[in-house]
Amino acid sequence: PELPGLPDLFELRMHFVLLLRVALQLVILSFTTESVEGFSFIPPQPAGLSHEKIVELAHKRYGGRHDKNGESLPMEGRVVCITGAAGGIGRALSSICHGFGATIVAMDRNTTGLDELKQSLEDDQTAASRILCLPTQHEDLASVSQSADEILSRFERIDLLICNAGMTYREEAELGSKSMKSSHGYDLAFTVNYLSHFLLVEKLMPALSSSMPSPMGRIVHLTSTYHWKVDGSELIPQPIPIAYQSDPTKQGPKHKERSYGNTKLAQIWNSRSIKGCESVCACPTWVGTGIGGEDARDFLERMAFPVGGAGIASALNAMFRSSAELGDALNDGDCLVANSRILELLPFKKAWTSESASKNGWRDGIVDFGGLILLLGQRFTFEDFIIQRSSPESYENRERRDSFYRWSLQEVEPWL
């Protein structure tokens, strides 16, 4: 059926036939390992930000000094808290900040990974420790609260909080099962990806908003282009959001498929509700991490950005760029930090984000298809630094966002 606000249906179909052809060609090229006269069909991985550029950005933001060996220490004396620090993007960012002289507060449920991180960063056991490892279960808000209390007992000021820990449901996950519930009985992904970080932000805000030394603290939320998949209706408290429900009879019809997008939109709403310090969202696009499970890791390591290099470029820009450079990506803006322009090439955004398209499932399919295009084409469109508009629902309805914030604050009140 024709949707209100859509362009000519034939024209719409032709655009997506073209996109499908491009996607299939990219799939074929991506899995072609042969080279023709020295030309590889697989484009090389973009380098991402150079070490020199990262050092330059860090020095501009934090000042710092060089040690006696000439090594840059732009973050000496700074405190950086990172969730999901034991592996993937979190581990890479921990390593960079520690190398710049920062004290790292590493939070993760993987205690073995935390031990390995500490050992890798502190090869000189005689030096004063600059890493605090806090085993933290993000599905358990009591564990998150306890870690926050430990941080506040040790540090008066936090310069960076990087909300990186996250998960997505596997195909075999069963609705209503224990594996999809948090320790307090609600949706696991919603708790891990969003609510645990909301609680962490609220508890650490006094240290983040400390005015000395300058600059003010900053929160970086690692979000996703998949927030375009949802319209925010499942985040409306009634009295609790549908996306937070763990009872299949109270969940939406596509709960599992939309859970990741809902939690990422919730993160963006949270970032835009924050006052007292700077807050910015960054989308790393597809990165070769373990978020999709070990079965998907090999595929992602082949096709996606590596954990270092291009895979952390947007996060580093969100961490170190000046407030003026970040512009509308900060706090109550309408943008995020990105590293690929694929999304900007998708046609008819107003049409497939319409109310009708959301209700009948067009939006789900188009964004899933766009995600495939992004995976296959992100190497072609990578840029070191992009400020990109997020979905209309992420910034247009302030009343809905404020209502969601009030509900979130009430929900975590027992752990504050």
Side-chain angles (χ1 to χ4, degrees):
E2 188 171 353
L3 299 176
L6 279 178
D8 179 75
L9 193 57
F10 177 78
E11 183 182 357
L12 181 67
R13 286 172 177 165
M14 289 302 98
H15 273 82
F16 281 101
V17 167
L18 177 61
L19 285 174
L20 180 59
R21 289 178 61 186
V22 171
L24 291 175
Q25 289 170 351
L26 287 171
V27 169
I28 294 170
L29 292 178
S30 297
F31 283 99
T32 301
T33 56
E34 298 290 335
S35 295
V36 178
E37 296 182 354
F39 174 77
S40 174
F41 286 112
I42 303 178
Q45 287 283 6
L49 297 177
S50 68
H51 178 72
E52 292 75 19
K53 184 62 177 179
I54 300 170
V55 170
E56 175 192 334
L57 292 174
H59 271 295
K60 283 183 178 179
R61 177 157 179 82
Y62 292 113
R65 65 176 183 90
H66 292 80
D67 67 12
K68 60 183 179 181
N69 297 317
E71 294 293 325
S72 294
L73 297 174
M75 301 190 75
E76 186 176 38
R78 305 289 178 170
V79 177
V80 180
C81 301
I82 305 178
T83 69
I89 292 173
R91 180 163 182 159
L93 298 179
S94 297
S95 179
I96 289 173
C97 292
H98 188 272
F100 284 173
T103 295
I104 305 299
V105 180
M107 289 169 276
D108 205 294
R109 66 176 182 172
N110 182 354
T111 55
T112 301
L114 287 176
D115 290 341
E116 292 173 350
L117 173 67
K118 183 178 178 67
Q119 185 175 9
S120 70
L121 296 184
E122 300 199 330
D123 51 357
D124 182 3
Q125 300 300 319
T126 63
S129 177
R130 287 191 290 108
I131 178 167
L132 171 64
C133 293
L134 296 177
T136 307
Q137 303 288 336
H138 281 268
E139 67 271 23
D140 181 357
L141 296 182
S143 174
V144 175
S145 180
Q146 183 177 2
S147 291
D149 289 339
E150 181 68 17
I151 294 169
L152 292 173
S153 72
R154 292 172 178 254
F155 305 102
E156 294 183 357
R157 175 184 168 84
I158 296 170
D159 296 276
L160 265 175
L161 169 61
I162 302 172
C163 299
N164 166 68
M167 60 160 292
T168 186
Y169 289 127
R170 311 290 187 263
E171 185 176 349
E172 64 271 15
E174 295 183 11
L175 294 174
S177 65
K178 186 177 181 181
S179 66
M180 290 184 65
K181 294 181 181 180
S182 67
S183 62
H184 57 292
Y186 286 97
D187 186 73
L188 178 65
F190 190 98
T191 302
V192 171
N193 296 359
Y194 166 66
L195 203 59
S196 67
H197 289 112
F198 178 90
L199 172 60
L200 196 61
V201 167
E202 289 297 315
K203 294 207 65 160
L204 297 183
M205 186 54 69
L208 284 159
S209 59
S210 175
S211 60
M212 293 297 291
S214 64
M216 70 168 61
R218 178 179 289 176
I219 304 169
V220 175
H221 307 261
L222 272 295
T223 185
S224 170
T225 303
Y226 270 93
H227 79 275
W228 279 84
K229 189 171 185 174
V230 297
D231 63 4
S233 60
E234 295 181 352
L235 298 179
I236 300 173
Q238 44 185 349
I240 69 173
I242 292 174
Y244 187 45
Q245 296 279 9
S246 58
D247 182 348
T249 65
K250 299 178 181 179
Q251 292 173 338
K254 296 186 177 182
H255 177 83
K256 194 164 63 171
E257 294 86 347
R258 293 175 176 172
S259 65
Y260 190 70
N262 275 321
T263 62
K264 293 303 167 179
L265 179 58
Q267 268 191 310
I268 297 174
W269 281 4
N270 181 30
S271 180
R272 291 175 181 166
S273 299
I274 288 172
K275 300 176 177 62
C277 75
E278 292 185 336
S279 184
V280 59
C281 292
C283 175
T285 59
W286 290 94
V287 181
T289 68
I291 191 170
E294 292 304 314
D295 292 342
R297 186 187 291 272
D298 289 344
F299 175 75
L300 287 177
E301 287 180 348
R302 173 181 172 82
M303 297 296 300
F305 289 147
V307 170
I312 57 173
S314 58
L316 291 170
N317 281 315
M319 291 160 58
F320 296 137
R321 292 281 178 176
S322 69
S323 303
E325 289 175 298
L326 292 174
D328 286 338
L330 281 173
N331 295 77
D332 191 19
D334 57 8
C335 296
L336 48 74
V337 184
N339 58 17
S340 169
R341 295 201 180 274
I342 287 286
L343 182 65
E344 298 170 12
L345 303 177
L346 295 180
F348 309 130
K349 291 187 183 66
K350 288 185 178 180
W352 53 262
T353 57
S354 69
E355 183 178 353
S356 297
S358 297
K359 285 183 176 179
N360 68 19
W362 277 57
R363 183 170 186 162
D364 298 77
I366 291 172
V367 173
D368 284 339
F369 185 69
L372 174 62
I373 295 289
L374 178 60
L375 173 62
L376 299 175
Q378 63 184 24
R379 294 191 193 186
F380 296 96
T381 61
F382 174 84
E383 293 182 25
D384 281 353
F385 180 47
I386 300 173
I387 298 296
Q388 191 170 81
R389 185 72 60 85
S390 52
S391 72
E393 295 87 354
S394 70
Y395 59 84
E396 285 184 346
N397 195 325
R398 181 187 294 270
E399 182 178 351
R400 177 180 285 187
R401 189 184 71 196
D402 290 345
S403 173
F404 183 66
Y405 174 83
R406 291 191 297 270
W407 172 82
S408 301
L409 192 61
Q410 182 179 357
E411 184 65 16
V412 302
E413 195 276 333
W415 296 279
L416 284 174

